[in-house]
Amino acid sequence: MTPHNHAKAGDYAEVVLLPGDPLRAKWIAETFFDEARLVNSVRNCLGYTGTYKGKPVSVQASGMGQPSLSIYVHELINTYGVKTLIRVGTCGGLNAKVKVRDLVLAQAATTDSSIVKGRFGAFNFAPIADFGLLRSAAEKAEAAGMTYHAGNMLSSDIFYHANGMAGYDTLPQHGVIGVEMEAAALYTLAARFDVRALAICTMTDCLITGAEIDAEERQSSLKEMVTLALEVAIKG
Ligand code: HPA
C-alpha cells in the first residue's frame, strides 16, 4: 500500500501497461485480459491485473504528465516489484511524414521537464527506451503490417503554451517526430531503478498539417497499439 495505491504486495504482474486515462485502463483490462481484477482505485486512477494468452499482466493508469506518471511508476517499481513498463498513449505529430494512426515508438525522449533535468546538474541526460522492448515492438509492428516510426519523442510538461509553439521549430529540425507528456520521466525512472521501459504512441493530431484522427479510427488504432504492447509484454 502507498498513499496513491491500495494494492497489496503481489497484486501487480511483473509487466504493466501504462495508459494515461483510467477509463482506458479499464477498457484494456475488460477487452484484452482474462480474469481481470481491480487492484487499485485510489483517486479513480484504476489498476487491474489479469492474464493475456495465459501470462500474468497488469495495467495501471498513469494520469497525465510526468509528475503524475512518476508517482505511479516509482511505486510500481519500488513497492510492487514491477520489472517491465510499457506506456500506451497518444501523441501529436511533429513531422509531416508521420500520419495520423501511425505508431511512434519512442526510441528516446527529449524533454523540457525539470523532473528529468533537475536530476543531472550540468549534464543533459538522454532518456532512452529499453533496446530489447524497442526491437521487439519494431519487429512485431513490421510483421503485423503496422506503419510505425522509431525516433525521438518530445515529452513536454506543457500542453497549452503561453506563446504558441515555443521551441517546436527547433526540435523537428533535429529529428523529433512526436509530442506527448510522459515518456522521458518513465525512461529516467526505468534507468534509475534498472528496469525496462518503452513508450508506444498512436499519432492522433498532427501539429504540422492539422490532421486529426476521427473517433472510429481512434478506437481501431488504439486496439492495434494495445495488442502490439501486450505481445511485446508477454514475449519481451
Ligand atoms: N501535445 C501533447 N501531448 C499530446 C498531444 C499534443 O499535441 N497529442 C496527444 N498527446
Side-chain angles (χ1 to χ4, degrees), residues 165-181:
M165 305 220 308
Y168 282 19
D169 293 341
T170 317
L171 294 170
Q173 286 166 358
H174 291 78
V176 176
I177 54 177
V179 50
E180 49 82 85
M181 305 185 74

Side-chain angles (χ1 to χ4, degrees), residues 87 90-93 156 158-159 168 179-181 202 204-205 207:
R87 165 164 155 71
T90 59
C91 68
S156 180
I158 302 170
F159 191 91
Y168 282 19
V179 50
E180 49 82 85
M181 305 185 74
T202 298
T204 53
D205 54 294
L207 278 65

Side-chain angles (χ1 to χ4, degrees), residues 26 28-39 48-51 57 59:
K26 182 171 190 278
I28 290 170
E30 288 174 353
T31 309
F32 296 92
F33 290 6
D34 291 317
E35 296 153 34
R37 65 187 175 95
L38 183 71
V39 294
Y48 296 83
T49 294
T51 58
V57 59
V59 59

Side-chain angles (χ1 to χ4, degrees), residues 130-164:
D130 175 79
F131 181 69
L133 294 177
L134 180 67
R135 180 171 54 187
S136 171
E139 284 171 359
K140 289 182 199 314
E142 200 144 337
M146 297 174 182
T147 307
Y148 74 93
H149 310 264
N152 203 342
M153 183 76 92
L154 169 62
S155 299
S156 180
D157 273 356
I158 302 170
F159 191 91
Y160 296 110
H161 287 270
N163 51 354

Side-chain angles (χ1 to χ4, degrees), residues 11 17 79 87 92 107 109 112 120 131 137 178 212 219 221 235:
D11 272 349
L17 263 53
T79 304
R87 165 164 155 71
Q107 181 178 6
D112 54 8
F120 296 101
F131 181 69
E212 282 182 21
Q219 205 51 25
S221 47
K235 295 198 190 92

